[in-house]
Amino acid sequence: MTTTLRPEPGLATTADLAARLWTDVAPILRDVPEPLETALHSLLRAVIPLIASAARGDDLWPAETTARIRASIAEIAEATDDVTPIVGVVSELTSRVLHVVMSGEPGQPAASPRAVSAVGSRLVSELLAGAHHTSTRKHRGSLAKGRAQRTQELLRGIRPDGDDDYDLAPAYAVVAVHCAEPLDTARLAGAFEQVAGDGALTALGPVGGFVLLPAGDEARAAQLARQAHAELPGRVWMAASWRPRGEIAWGRQEAGKVLSLALAADHEPGVYLLADLLVEFAVAREPSVSDNLVRIIEPLLQYPALLETLKVLVATDGNRSQAAERLIIHRSTLDYRIQRIEQLTGLHPGSVRGINVLSAALTARAWAEQSGRPRRPAEPAAARRTHPLE
């Protein structure tokens, strides 16, 4: 069959050279067997921007691009034992860019031909290595593991057998996900695949799960998680932890606990990092500190209005006007409740120290209930003042 190249999404905003390459390569790809079509287009969507960037003098090869290229190569090698035509396409692309660079055509910036050759050589090496890897695995009589199984094994800390890690990235954003209302699993996974391409590995259900996104550093990990979050409807919470591939299981534990703390603390939907909940994370790891904080908050448990008032004060960072508006009460009523909170806990919610300690205490109590840990008994009622609340 004849294959028609689909243009790269957003091509109008890319360099003219990349658009020209998509046009030039179309005749080379005619009569590509159908099983290769999807994988080949996925490969070219990663390859062409790399070669065009090299022509501009940029050396850009992020971890997520490597994973995307390797995943596409693995699919190609699974579909055919002969990757020579694909190597020929990459070599032809490289030759065409070298011609543009060396001819000094108008509108093309000067660049070192060596940079273009280096990218082309690396791409060919990846192709050949991927073909060899797949061929070796086939010869052993084993099939490639499903992506879901590989994701689960990585999350549990199981190391890939032999060279089965060929198409994995060196580091990942480990993202824990929770949805308030069930979402279509395909749509949920699609949001992550949209921002990370074929390198995204998902273990998701309708209400969440875990996702691995190739990321070169912590900043990129947070960026990818936030981009995916922006694509999803409804109330969704995420926690992200960046880890090298060998530490993904630790990243899963960290992201899972940060997500649990964000939910326990009634934080708004969004993306949370360890730095956002550092105090709460430390409290959750130290039972004796957690128990002391729970004991501070327990006198309020008999007074739902006071407990709700404190939660709103924490959510509004102690802003009394916002808190009164959200609670739909008069400012004088709020001031009275604040006095009662101070009487019962010994901490003033209007002070920086008071609101911080009380916020940590709320989280410690929610975490203790969530994890099933028994609460310490509150102080005897006789030790407290018991003014009735309206």
Side-chain angles (χ1 to χ4, degrees):
M1 67 177 286
T2 300
T3 299
T4 302
L5 269 181
R6 296 186 292 273
E8 169 77 356
L11 189 59
T13 63
T14 63
D16 291 340
L17 179 57
R20 175 173 167 179
L21 288 176
W22 277 101
T23 302
D24 288 351
V25 80
I28 308 172
L29 300 176
R30 292 195 180 102
D31 301 321
V32 174
E34 189 161 347
L36 294 177
E37 184 177 0
T38 301
L40 184 56
H41 279 89
S42 179
L43 175 66
L44 290 174
R45 283 195 294 270
V47 165
I48 285 180
L50 280 178
I51 298 179
S53 296
R56 296 193 298 268
D58 299 327
D59 183 17
L60 301 175
W61 198 307
E64 50 263 42
T65 298
T66 299
R68 182 177 181 178
I69 289 172
R70 290 180 173 183
S72 299
I73 291 170
E75 290 184 45
I76 290 171
E78 286 287 351
T80 178
D81 292 328
D82 184 12
V83 297
T84 303
I86 313 300
V87 173
V89 170
V90 173
S91 298
E92 180 65 20
L93 284 172
T94 306
S95 297
R96 289 175 186 246
V97 176
L98 281 171
H99 174 75
V100 172
V101 171
M102 298 182 73
S103 65
E105 293 183 17
Q108 296 297 336
S112 168
R114 182 177 298 177
V116 178
S117 296
V119 169
S121 297
R122 181 172 177 182
L123 287 169
V124 170
S125 297
E126 292 282 4
L127 276 165
L128 295 176
H132 173 73
H133 163 79
T134 306
S135 175
T136 301
R137 189 176 61 240
K138 285 180 177 179
H139 182 69
R140 292 199 307 261
S142 60
L143 297 175
K145 294 174 180 175
R147 292 170 67 85
Q149 181 182 350
R150 299 189 78 189
T151 307
Q152 292 287 357
E153 290 183 352
L154 287 168
L155 288 169
R156 293 200 303 267
I158 299 174
R159 294 182 178 274
D161 295 331
D163 56 355
D164 276 347
D165 62 350
Y166 164 77
D167 56 344
L168 297 176
Y172 284 89
V174 185
V175 185
V177 185
H178 174 75
C179 309
E181 301 83 24
L183 294 178
D184 178 70
T185 304
R187 180 172 186 180
L188 188 56
F192 293 97
E193 291 165 357
Q194 182 173 336
V195 301
D198 298 327
L201 298 172
T202 60
L204 293 167
V207 295
F210 287 92
V211 180
L212 302 178
L213 305 174
D217 54 35
E218 293 182 8
R220 179 61 174 164
Q223 180 186 32
L224 288 172
R226 291 187 179 112
Q227 288 175 350
H229 187 273
E231 297 297 323
L232 292 170
R235 293 166 56 81
V236 180
W237 290 261
M238 296 182 188
S241 172
W242 178 80
R243 294 283 176 156
R245 191 171 68 218
E247 299 178 10
I248 286 176
W250 292 105
R252 174 186 60 79
Q253 293 182 21
E254 179 182 299
K257 180 163 284 189
V258 170
L259 178 62
S260 296
L261 288 169
L263 292 170
D266 287 330
H267 286 320
E268 291 296 312
V271 177
Y272 294 92
L273 308 177
L274 176 59
D276 299 320
L277 294 160
L278 202 57
V279 173
E280 292 86 346
F281 190 87
V283 167
R285 288 174 60 92
E286 181 49 62
S288 63
V289 175
S290 180
D291 286 341
N292 284 330
L293 287 170
V294 170
R295 196 156 44 235
I296 289 174
I297 215 74
E298 281 189 333
L300 299 182
L301 300 184
Q302 298 180 42
Y303 308 108
L306 292 183
L307 192 61
E308 180 62 21
T309 298
L310 178 57
K311 289 179 179 179
V312 172
L313 283 168
V314 169
T316 57
D317 292 325
N319 187 305
R320 297 191 183 191
S321 297
Q322 292 181 16
E325 183 178 350
R326 186 176 298 188
L327 290 164
I328 318 178
I329 60 176
H330 193 272
R331 179 66 179 267
S332 61
T333 303
L334 176 64
D335 290 340
Y336 169 71
R337 291 185 182 182
I338 289 175
Q339 291 177 8
R340 290 289 291 126
I341 290 171
E342 184 176 8
Q343 289 171 356
L344 293 170
T345 66
L347 293 164
H348 181 45
S351 68
V352 174
R353 176 178 178 275
I355 197 69
N356 285 339
V357 174
L358 289 168
S359 174
L362 284 172
T363 303
R365 174 179 173 267
W367 176 256
E369 289 189 337
Q370 189 179 86
S371 60
R373 292 182 59 243
R375 290 204 308 264
R376 295 285 184 89
E379 296 178 42
R384 301 189 304 266
R385 298 180 65 183
T386 55
H387 296 300
L389 291 173
E390 296 292 330

